[in-house]
Amino acid sequence: MHFPASPNAMRAFRYTLSASAVAMLLAGCGGGDDNTPASSQQAAQTVTCADMSGKTVPAASIGLATGGASVTSATVVKATDAGNSNGEYCKVIGKITPAASAAAGTPDINFELNLPTAWNGKAVQMGGGGYNGTVVTGTTAVSFAPGSVPLAQGYATFGSDSGHTGNSATADFALNEAAINNFGFEHLKKTHDTAFALIKQFYAKSPDKSYFAGASTGGREGMTVVERFASDYDGVIANAPALNFSGVRLQGVKIGQAAYGTPGGYINTAKQKLILKTVLDNCDADDGATDGIVSNVAACRAKASTITAALRCPSGADTGDSCLSDAQLGTVAAIQDDLVLPYQLAYGVNRHQGYNILQGADFSGGLGLGTSATLLSPPTVAANGYLYAQGDGYLKYFVTKNPSLDSLHFDLNNPGQYQQRLVDLSATVGAMNPDISAYRSRGGKLIILHGLADEVISPNVTIAYYNAQVAKDGQSAVDSYIRFYNVPGMGHGDGTFVPAWDAMTALDKWVTQGTAPDVLVGTDTVTATSGRSRPLCRYPTYPRYKGSGSINVADSYACTAP
């Protein structure tokens, strides 16, 4: 058989092969999809990218109730197109409509699917951030893993807006109950099944391996698919997962009440920076290297009372930016201490573990405590802090459906008529189910990474969840399918050390070759310290300087138990 000589002619030729020619090629090469019966291979015929426009997926092919899905556009993105570093791919845009039985006003789920010309036979569903509301394109790196761009590595990638259109920091979409259900978990299954149906239409076969990757909300989504849709995924990367979503929001309200509901409780930017400096003065060297990173968090936590005493104004009253008043230390405690509720949320959870503000987490940045002592109405992230602004919106739109609610006076311990609502929401939006045995049984692999200086999603929640798995199943069993990494100095995508690491390669080797990742290496992407490296150590170890060699090279550190 004669093959066209030019790459473009070859590509057009491949897209227009007859079914019999496909069968001849497969037979002659000894190839084919091991997961597809021979009769299906012989009937297989690939289609062009343009052919994908107008394709549909029937509701019966989607595992949760929908009205089906349709492709609204399909465009070839060439390898030479400006701004594209992912190689040639077919960009598919579409929507999943609500079921006929859905309530009026239920929004569509908008999605993007990218089908690379040089496909590796695998697919990655990519998670979102915040409240989502914009389509996850699937064309960028895995969140909090800037060394890993799945589409460029040959994966078919896809993501959605989670079932509503809006600002990722705005909770008003939650006035629609169906939108809450989609945001919580339903969009994940609906988008997965739609994408897989379209992948099969394009390549004439299903993916050999199915992965999920995301951070923050995307990390929660990753843990959600582990807990709810285990059979759909071979491997998951869940970075900084917002496991206890309700707990995060309620602790944010607690912090706002301390900062703005208590006279003098607000901590200004200068004092926010003072907290971090005092922590570094006391704890930076505990890992053997003075490098602006608190690595030995356990040792630093033992110094919490000393650090608090060093921060306190002698009289307890506010005497300026060189110290914190007792009211301001009360706000620190609201951040540092666990939120403990006198009632249980879903899965028996009544606690949200606090933040490492006295162990190196920096609350002076854009996702910190805000810049204004004046409480705006509604609170904003920039003025009044991320955690409080988000907690306020959660109470107004998710919980009470009352945009005029005064969250400063909402009684977290005695929510009255809203207690059951809080319980129900924590089951819908969150990933605290301790039973992930189905995922383990199907051979799924899970990589979790969390920065120890995270100021948005507390790493201590993830640590507690992991420790509970070990206590329940034993370390050996957990090691067979979970790898958990803590990153000193890393905040919520920011911080003093933000590593690039190849998350997808680590996961794929584990799934396809059985090579479980151990110590990884992260290369710093922070501008001031770009290029330095550190080992990414498996919990509970941390990177400790060996005492010789450059402090900017990973080989100079050993992963050490605290």
Side-chain angles (χ1 to χ4, degrees):
M1 180 179 290
H2 174 69
F3 289 87
S6 72
N8 288 338
M10 181 64 194
R11 186 176 303 116
F13 176 78
R14 188 186 70 231
Y15 285 150
T16 56
L17 284 173
S18 67
S20 60
V22 171
M24 288 173 61
L25 284 175
L26 291 175
C29 298
D33 175 17
D34 292 338
N35 298 320
T36 305
S39 60
S40 297
Q41 293 173 12
Q42 291 171 0
Q45 182 176 353
T46 52
V47 299
T48 68
C49 183
D51 290 336
M52 293 300 292
S53 185
K55 291 286 187 183
T56 61
V57 177
S61 296
I62 301 173
L64 295 176
T66 72
S70 60
V71 174
T72 55
S73 69
T75 309
V76 173
V77 179
K78 297 179 181 179
T80 55
D81 283 356
N84 176 35
S85 59
N86 290 320
E88 183 177 277
Y89 64 95
C90 176
K91 176 181 177 180
V92 176
I93 302 295
K95 63 181 180 180
I96 305 166
T97 58
S101 60
T106 299
D108 295 335
I109 298 170
N110 297 295
F111 68 88
E112 178 171 333
L113 167 65
N114 307 296
L115 303 164
T117 300
W119 187 39
N120 66 9
K122 305 162 190 173
V124 182
Q125 183 173 3
M126 300 186 72
Y131 282 123
N132 292 331
T134 57
V135 174
V136 175
T137 67
T139 60
T140 59
V142 174
S143 296
F144 297 5
S148 195
V149 184
L151 182 56
Q153 295 171 313
Y155 294 92
T157 63
F158 58 96
S160 81
D161 63 2
S162 81
H164 65 273
T165 301
N167 186 313
S168 65
T170 304
D172 56 0
F173 75 92
L175 293 174
N176 183 302
E177 281 298 299
I180 292 178
N181 291 335
N182 274 330
F183 172 72
F185 65 95
E186 290 188 2
H187 83 98
L188 298 166
K189 177 65 172 172
K190 295 172 183 177
T191 307
H192 170 276
D193 290 359
T194 297
F196 267 51
L198 293 172
I199 288 170
K200 189 170 184 178
Q201 291 186 42
F202 187 72
Y203 294 116
K205 60 165 281 183
S206 298
D208 298 321
K209 297 297 178 185
S210 172
Y211 299 133
F212 190 100
S216 192
T217 284
R220 171 185 64 79
E221 291 170 340
M223 293 301 298
T224 296
V225 302
V226 166
E227 296 169 12
R228 290 182 181 266
F229 309 118
S231 63
D232 287 340
Y233 301 88
D234 299 290
V236 169
I237 296 166
N239 296 333
L243 297 171
N244 188 349
F245 187 86
S246 293
V248 172
R249 295 299 181 243
L250 296 182
Q251 183 136 20
V253 173
K254 174 185 173 184
I255 293 166
Q257 290 175 348
Y260 294 101
T262 302
Y266 173 72
I267 303 172
N268 67 26
T269 303
K271 296 192 180 196
Q272 294 165 20
K273 294 180 181 296
L274 175 66
I275 295 170
L276 179 60
K277 180 183 182 302
T278 305
V279 170
L280 290 173
D281 288 345
N282 282 270
C283 301
D284 187 355
D286 286 345
D287 59 358
T290 303
D291 54 2
I293 300 172
V294 177
S295 293
N296 191 348
V297 169
C300 192
R301 182 163 284 115
K303 300 177 181 180
S305 60
T306 299
I307 294 169
T308 300
L311 287 169
R312 183 178 185 268
C313 295
S315 66
D318 191 346
T319 56
D321 290 345
S322 63
C323 60
L324 271 66
S325 68
D326 286 345
Q328 291 159 350
L329 288 173
T331 301
V332 171
I335 301 167
Q336 170 78 13
D337 296 344
D338 294 357
L339 169 70
V340 181
L341 301 172
Y343 51 91
Q344 293 183 340
L345 301 176
Y347 307 110
V349 174
N350 73 331
R351 178 184 299 267
H352 179 267
Q353 288 75 14
Y355 295 80
N356 292 340
I357 188 172
L358 296 181
Q359 292 81 39
D362 183 4
F363 280 80
S364 68
L367 297 175
L369 294 177
T371 59
S372 177
T374 301
L375 179 60
L376 304 184
S377 181
T380 69
V381 171
N384 308 123
Y386 179 88
L387 290 174
Y388 178 49
Q390 293 297 289
D392 176 80
Y394 182 71
L395 286 184
K396 287 176 176 175
Y397 296 105
F398 278 78
V399 179
T400 67
K401 308 284 190 180
N402 176 11
S404 299
L405 178 79
D406 178 6
S407 61
L408 283 186
H409 295 95
F410 186 89
D411 191 339
L412 296 172
N413 288 329
N414 300 286
Q417 62 178 311
Y418 299 114
Q419 181 169 315
Q420 188 58 49
R421 176 69 175 166
L422 287 169
V423 174
D424 294 342
L425 283 169
S426 68
T428 301
V429 186
M432 290 298 292
N433 187 348
D435 183 5
I436 52 178
S437 58
Y439 188 69
R440 172 187 165 194
S441 297
R442 64 96 67 216
K445 306 302 182 186
L446 172 61
I447 295 176
I448 306 172
L449 177 140
H450 209 141
L452 287 169
D454 197 318
E455 73 278 37
V456 171
I457 305 299
S458 173
N460 299 311
V461 176
T462 311
I463 289 169
Y465 185 91
Y466 176 83
N467 284 338
Q469 293 299 318
V470 173
K472 178 167 61 75
D473 295 332
Q475 190 67 59
S476 178
V478 171
D479 285 348
S480 71
Y481 74 111
I482 301 178
R483 286 290 187 268
F484 177 31
Y485 298 89
N486 283 162
V487 184
M490 181 178 177
H492 203 67
D494 53 16
T496 52
F497 180 73
V498 181
W501 57 292
D502 193 347
M504 287 310 308
T505 297
L507 181 66
D508 187 55
K509 283 186 176 180
W510 194 7
V511 170
T512 61
Q513 302 175 24
T515 305
D518 191 30
V519 178
L520 303 174
V521 174
T523 303
D524 200 355
T525 61
V526 176
T527 300
T529 49
S530 178
R532 67 176 173 175
S533 61
R534 293 285 187 278
L536 303 181
C537 298
R538 290 174 56 193
Y539 174 84
T541 64
Y542 71 93
R544 183 172 183 82
Y545 181 57
K546 295 176 182 177
S548 61
S550 171
I551 65 169
N552 293 320
V553 177
D555 285 345
S556 301
Y557 295 80
C559 292
T560 306

